[in-house]
Structures are given as structure tokens and as C-alpha cells.
Amino acid sequence: MSTLADHLRALPDEALAALFRLRPDLVVPVPTDLSALAIRAQSRVSVARALDGLDEFTLRIMDAARLTRDTDHAGAGGRAETSAEAILALAAGTGRRVDRAAVRAAVDRLRALFLLYGPVDALRVVPAVDEVCPPYPAGLGRPAAELDPEAAALVADPARLRRTLLAAPPPARAILDRLAAGPPVGTLPAPAAAPPAEGAPAAEGGPAAPGAGSAAAPVSWLVENRLLVPVPETAGGAAAPAAVELPREVGLLLRRDTGPLGPLRPQPPAVAGAAREPKAADSAGAGQAMEAVRNTEALLDQLAAEPAPVLRSGGLGVRDLRRLAKATGLDESTAALLLEVAYAAGLAGELDLPGAATTRNGADQQMLPAAGYEGWRDASLAHRWEHLARAWLTMTRQVGLVGQRDERDRPITVLSAEAERAGVPAVRQAVLDVLAGLEPGTAPGPDEVVDLLAWRAPRRSLGRETGQREVLAEAALLGVTGLGALTTYGRLLLARWSGGDSRLGEPGDDPLGVRPDAAGAAGGGSAAVRALDALLPAPVDHFLVQADLTVVVPGPPEPTLAAELATVAEQESAGGASVHRVTAGSVRRALDAGYAAEDLHTLFKRRSRTPVPQSLTYLVDDVARKHGGLRAGSAGSYLRSDDEALLAEVLADRRLAPMSLRRLAPTVLVTPHLVGRLLTALRDAGYAPVSEDASGATVLTRPKMRRAPARGSIANRVTDPLATPRLTTPRLLGIVEQIRRGDAAARAARRAPSTVRDAGRPGGAAPGVATAHAHTQALAVLQQAVRDRALVWVGYVDAHGATASRLVRPVSIGAGYLRAEDERTETLHTFALHRITAAVLHEAG
């Protein structure tokens, strides 16, 4: 068997299914046959994806296979081969102890992935491995024989090679050690021109000129002694800086202490971490989760009060982020993270401004809470946290980039396109998988997590160290971790996410993606929600009113209580126990919203666990007595009152002079200004007017909140563009059967009977022209095949006049056409009967 397709064809169905489970990208879409599967398995993209999932040790064994293949003999097919024993011998080096079982397990894994294929004594490397991997396996250069004959002669004499290495000056030896660690190629800048010393002309081949710099002389010595070999290198069609390469044999000798492949770590690095009490970690995480939800709500309320303009390039400006952070008492990085998560969760969105209405910077959109915000705010605290955490897990945003500058030296702003990174969800899952794999309560340090990830998937982790540390910081801020350890509810959420439910919810249950899982809510929510609910203080339905008119809520308020407090009091502090204050302004706001004085007395009496102070009763009655004494309408707008003395006082008030009030009647004043401005001016002057409509009925002024269009949470959509489908065993076996059926049909198609291939050419007739007798025979065969549902070879003339043949299963004949199904491609074809040249029943086997 000389090709990968032959090896795949010889595998049993279970082995093919196992390959698809390890490399699911091979069946997306399902290949038509095994030859197409082999081509896809050797493609650069698929091979790179398979290599990305390998750990450090397995990649080193892959390098060993590449090295031993290069030095071994070619197989019968002309391709270089290696063997498991050769790989093991190279990994062991010169007398080093190596875990032989780990090496064989790594070879088996590479064979299971079909990055290596063939028998263990004649293994071949998939060609695309060399294309996607670094050009120097294990950081070793090419053999000396490929570089320079003199260098080959030097390494052929081991004693001479050792003497030359021992004679190397210390600076030259330092260069050798650096190149031996890999990569084995280095470059030097062109030496600066220096005039020769007076009276001492430079000799050809002599020491380097003084202007050559400190590195030129040692390199010259190494090149002269053939320990380094100059290699040609060009850049952009022009001569590049001088390049030198360390021959492989020299590198192997320099690695005699560490081994040919360098230090090998068959097992992942240990993660010690700090031991935390799991209950303490859960409590700390729950407190931070509550704080994250509260801060997110505060940010969205600030956006509702003063929407932020959206930049034309996308995102919010630096000043708006700073304003929101200052208003909520957060630092800018925390505010940026919570805004990004809220947007990903569908709680915030852009609203197009009508017509020419634009903001101060000319933007035609504003950022404000989305239509589903109220539904989220009315849910329990644990449900709200889960909604945010799900969005964070799946959003393709690297928030740590906010505040940095892009390649054009422009600042990266919150919610801008520059912070989009498709691979971020995979980084989050990898980091949290490390925490989930530790004992509960273990809090590893960031360096330990980064080191373990670098071992688990070096190709994926390269350059992502900063992002991995950011994930740990964000998880702590959102309450996914507590005291550095993964919380119990965080572990449950992660298990639900990584266990196959990548959407974390069915969109049909929540088309807007903003309502917590209704079915789960009826039964207490998901496991993560129930675990977090058990840690959070129970919502309270009461408060404590004190003599100084402060209202203390001894816990998280129920949604109904929170809405009432937002109307009748001003919040002064938040936390586990929040503090509010009742003021004349808040009482007037409640009256404007439709409360009567008696309603407010009832509310405070029903909700308060302490006696309602007399000062609060007086305040409510005093504001209510003044409330509505003045009524405003449009004239611009008008002001009327049954109390003529009150109107006279208003008319004489200098603070209201800008309103240009004038008496229209003994009980009516008018102004050219709109009613909203009139009401504001009167209230600022200490009066308590109310608005009325054209019929004289009081207009309630409960604020109508503007909302952006509804947006679904990113957690309810396919989020990871790099994700591969999870395939069940029955589905895998069905795919195997489909590919084998297509492969059989493809191979059979290449063996069409000669009577079909040569049809239309009898007795020197023109190609594609069938005799009447042959045409009649073909129709008879086709009619029999329709009745028997049998496979038949059909020869026909295509639209270009060329003859072709196809193996099909006829379905019907009529109206001058044959309709038949091609089982290989699972498509229905239509043939004009006058173009059919021959038909032969297919013989199975």
C-alpha cells in the first residue's frame, strides 16, 4: 500500500470513525470517497489543525519522526520512511533514560491522527507536516553533507570535531550554544567599513576589521573552522545580511547533555497552587458575582439616563467610557469589561437617531439599554449572573486590548471592531479547563497556568500568554473564580458549556436571547444557578426606615421592591446592604409617577420593619399638599391655578423671568416656551406643578425609557468560528458508510465496461453516434433496470459532444428523458434518450 488513500481504505469502520472523532474537520463537509478524504487529511489547513491540538512532548516526537525519516532510506514508493524504533533511539540519545512507553504512546497518537501512517517499521510523515511546521525539526539544522563538503568531512571525524569544539574561544562557544538551542540559523549585519591601520595593509583572510563589531570575529572563526556554514539568503531580490547555519551533527554533539530533542517532558508540569477552603472560595466568588451584576445594572442605568454616542468607526469614545466609569465608581478597565459583556448578552445596543438629530460628535447612533433589559433586571440575581457569564464565555472580544493602540496608532475603544478576536473563546475554555482539572479550592498562580497551557498546546498558546492572564483576571472580576480558585457554580457552568451545549440554551425557548431559561426558572434554574442561589443572601421584601429619612435594605431587594425604591428614594450606597434616602424630590417623582400621598404612606408602612418616623410622614404630606397646586399646558405652554395669589407670586418671581410669563386670565399664565421647560423652571424655583392634557386631566410623568432594538445574547448563537461539530457514534458510522459507498461507486466508475466506453464508434462511425439497433437495446436495458431498481452503466453524449459514462440507478423513463439517481453523489440526473449510446447492467463485485 503506497498511498494514504490505500491505508484509509484498509481500515475497519470503527478505526475510520475514531479518526473522524479525533479530526472532525475531515467530514465537514462529508467527502465523496476515500480518495477525497485522503486529500483533505493531507491538506495544510487540516494538518495544522491536528498539530495545534498536540502537546509539547508529542510535537517533539513528531520532530523525531521528521529527523529520522530524513536520515533513513526511502521506501519502495520513493518516500523517506522511519520507524518507531528509530524514533525511540533518537529520543533516548546517548545513554539518556527515556520513558519508552510515553514515546510509543506519542507515536500511536500521531498514527491515530494519521500524521504518521503505515506499519510501525515503515512509518511515513504526511507531507503537509513539513509545510506547516518550522523548517528545522527540533531546532536542528540540516546535515553537513547537504551544506558543505568540508563541514561534512569535519563531522565524519568525531575526534577532530571534538578537538575543534574544545578549541573554540568563549565568545564563539556562546554563539554555538545559542544556535544549538534552536533555531540553528543566525544572521549578522553587514560589517561597517573601517580603514586599515596606517602602514599595515589588510591581509586576505586575516582577522576581521575593527569595524566589524564584537560578533563578527567569533563567527569568522567558526566559519573558518567549518563549525558554521554560510548559507545563501536573499530578501526582496537584494542581498540580505550574511546568514550562517549550524550543521545537524554539530548541534547533536552540543546537545549531549540535554538530548537530541532537547529537554523532554512526557508529563505535564505540576500545578501546585494555593489551597483554599472550597466554601471560602465559593463565598468570595458569590460576593463578586453579586457585585458584577450590580455594576452592570448601574452602567446600563447610566446609559439609559444619558445615552452614549456611537463613534462612526464603531464603539464608544474614550471620554464616554471615562464618564460612565466615574459615574458608577469603577475603574475604566472594569467598566469596559462589563460593557462588552452586557453588549454580548444582548442587554445593550445601538439606536438609530431619527432624521438630522445627531449627537455632539456627529454620530447618528446612540448606545443604550436594549429592549430586553427590563426582563433581565426583573430576574433573580443568580439568573442575571448566569446570563452575563454565558455571554462572557462565548463572546469573541478581547477586552484587554481596550485602551491600547492599533497598528495605525489609533486607540482601541470599547465595543470597537479592533477588539474582535475569533480565537478568544477557545483561550477562555483552555484556561478554565486548567482550573476545572484541579482539586476544588486549588488556586494556581498565573505563571503556572500559562506554563501548563504552553505544554498542553504549544502551537495554540504561542503569543497568547497575555490573553490567558487576562482570562484569569476577568474570571475573578465576574465571580467565576473566588480567591483564585474555580467556584462550584463556575465549574457547573463550565461543564455545561464544554459538555456539548455550545449554545447554552435553545433559541426557540427564548428568541430574543434575553430572558432567563423559563423552563429552568420554574425548577430553580440550571445547576449553576441553583448552586449560586444557595450562596447568595436571600432577596428581601422589606427595608428599615430611620429617623434621618434613610432607608436601609438588609440584603438584595426583590425586583418589585427594587422598582419601588427606584421611584420613591435616591440610592446613596450599594452592596450587600444598600442605603437609600427619601427626599422631597424623590417624593415628588413618586407623585408624578401616579402615587397618591396615601399610597406612599401605605408603601412605607407595609415595607418597613421599623416604625415609620413622623418626619417622613410630614415630608410626604407637605410635598403632596403642594403637588398639583399648579397645572401647566401648552401655549407654548400655560400655567393655571385656582389660587390667584399663588399665580401672582409666580408672576413676580425673578427666577422665572426667562420664562416670559404673562397673565392670560386671573387664574391663567402663558409662556412661549414648551411645557417641559416650564415645568423644569418651576420645580427649580421650588414650586410643585403638574402637567395636564387638553381635557384638564393630570398627565402622569412616569419616565418612558428609550431602548435600543432587542438583541439576542451571543450565547444563544453559534459563537466559535473555530469550533468543530461533536459527532455521535451512530452519526460517525453513518458517515463512514456513506464514504465507503461513494468510494465503491467511484472505483466502479473507473471500470466502466468496454461496451459502454466504445459505444457510438461501431465500424468507424463518428464518435457519439449510436446505431438504431444499439439504441433499441439500450432502451430495453433501461426499462428493465427501472422495473428491477438495478444499477446500470449508461453511455451518453454530453452537451459538448464528448462521450461519457455514468453508473446510475434508473428511476423513470418518459417524455423522451431518463431520470436516474447517482448513488455516489446522491443526486438525480436527467438524460435525453436520443443522447444515450449504450446501457449495460452493472455486475456486483
Side-chain angles (χ1 to χ4, degrees), residues 9 43 66 74 85 90 133 138 144 155 159 163 165 192 237 258 274 337 348 386 422 435 509 539 586 721 740 746 805:
R9 200 167 281 120
S43 66
R66 295 171 65 197
E85 287 302 322
L90 182 64
C133 286
V155 300
R163 288 196 303 269
L165 283 175
T258 60
L337 173 63
E386 186 197 36
L435 301 181
D509 295 338
S586 67
R740 288 204 186 278
S805 57

Side-chain angles (χ1 to χ4, degrees), residues 121-322:
D121 57 347
L123 294 172
R124 296 176 184 172
V125 180
V126 171
V129 169
D130 294 319
E131 300 175 14
V132 300
C133 286
Y136 299 100
L140 293 171
R142 290 171 288 179
E146 298 180 16
L147 295 173
D148 181 70
E150 295 185 29
L154 173 65
V155 300
D157 187 346
R160 179 188 168 195
L161 176 59
R162 289 189 177 87
R163 288 196 303 269
T164 306
L165 283 175
L166 292 174
R173 183 56 185 265
I175 293 175
L176 288 176
D177 291 338
R178 192 181 316 142
L179 294 177
V185 176
T187 59
L188 285 175
E198 185 177 354
E204 185 177 356
S214 59
V219 171
S220 297
W221 188 93
L222 293 169
V223 171
E224 291 172 0
N225 288 274
R226 293 299 182 264
L227 292 176
L228 292 181
V229 178
V231 292
E233 186 172 327
T234 59
V244 291
E245 182 173 338
L246 182 71
R248 180 178 299 174
E249 294 83 355
V250 179
L252 289 172
L253 182 58
L254 292 170
R255 289 186 180 185
R256 60 186 179 277
D257 295 328
T258 60
L261 302 177
L264 294 178
R265 297 191 294 178
Q267 300 301 322
V271 177
R276 312 288 191 193
E277 181 65 32
K279 291 184 178 179
D282 287 348
S283 297
Q288 189 57 43
M290 186 165 58
E291 191 73 2
V293 172
R294 184 187 67 80
N295 289 333
T296 302
E297 186 174 347
L299 282 169
L300 293 172
D301 286 342
Q302 282 295 322
L303 280 177
E306 185 177 352
V310 178
L311 300 175
R312 291 193 181 279
S313 58
L316 304 184
V318 175
R319 286 183 298 177
D320 290 298
L321 176 61
R322 189 176 296 122

Side-chain angles (χ1 to χ4, degrees), residues 484-661:
L486 187 64
T487 59
T488 301
Y489 57 88
R491 194 180 298 270
L492 293 171
L493 181 70
L494 182 63
R496 182 183 177 191
W497 180 42
S498 59
D501 188 7
S502 61
R503 296 170 67 94
L504 292 177
E506 291 299 328
D509 295 338
D510 183 13
L512 297 181
V514 295
R515 178 173 56 83
D517 186 354
S526 66
V529 169
R530 293 193 296 272
L532 180 56
D533 260 331
L535 296 168
L536 294 172
V540 298
D541 60 355
H542 62 275
F543 48 67
L544 310 174
V545 182
Q546 305 189 65
D548 60 352
L549 301 185
T550 56
V551 178
V552 179
V553 184
E558 289 182 341
T560 305
L561 177 60
E564 293 172 345
L565 285 171
T567 303
V568 304
E570 309 286 356
Q571 185 172 12
E572 291 191 339
S573 66
S578 55
V579 178
H580 306 254
R581 183 176 296 277
V582 181
T583 65
S586 67
V587 173
R588 184 171 62 241
R589 183 173 66 240
L591 294 172
D592 289 342
Y595 283 93
E598 189 60 34
D599 297 333
L600 293 177
H601 292 316
T602 303
L603 169 64
F604 287 116
K605 195 173 299 183
R606 175 169 49 88
R607 293 291 192 182
S608 178
R609 290 294 183 268
T610 58
V612 178
Q614 197 173 38
S615 56
L616 177 58
T617 303
Y618 287 163
L619 175 64
V620 172
D621 289 340
D622 185 54
V623 174
R625 184 170 56 255
K626 297 178 182 178
H627 189 264
L630 297 175
R631 294 177 175 268
S634 303
S637 59
Y638 66 85
L639 184 66
R640 73 176 183 88
S641 175
D642 295 332
D643 189 345
E644 295 182 20
L646 180 58
L647 277 183
E649 178 185 349
V650 170
L651 191 60
D653 196 329
R654 294 185 185 180
R655 295 171 296 178
L656 297 175
M659 291 292 99
S660 303
L661 289 167

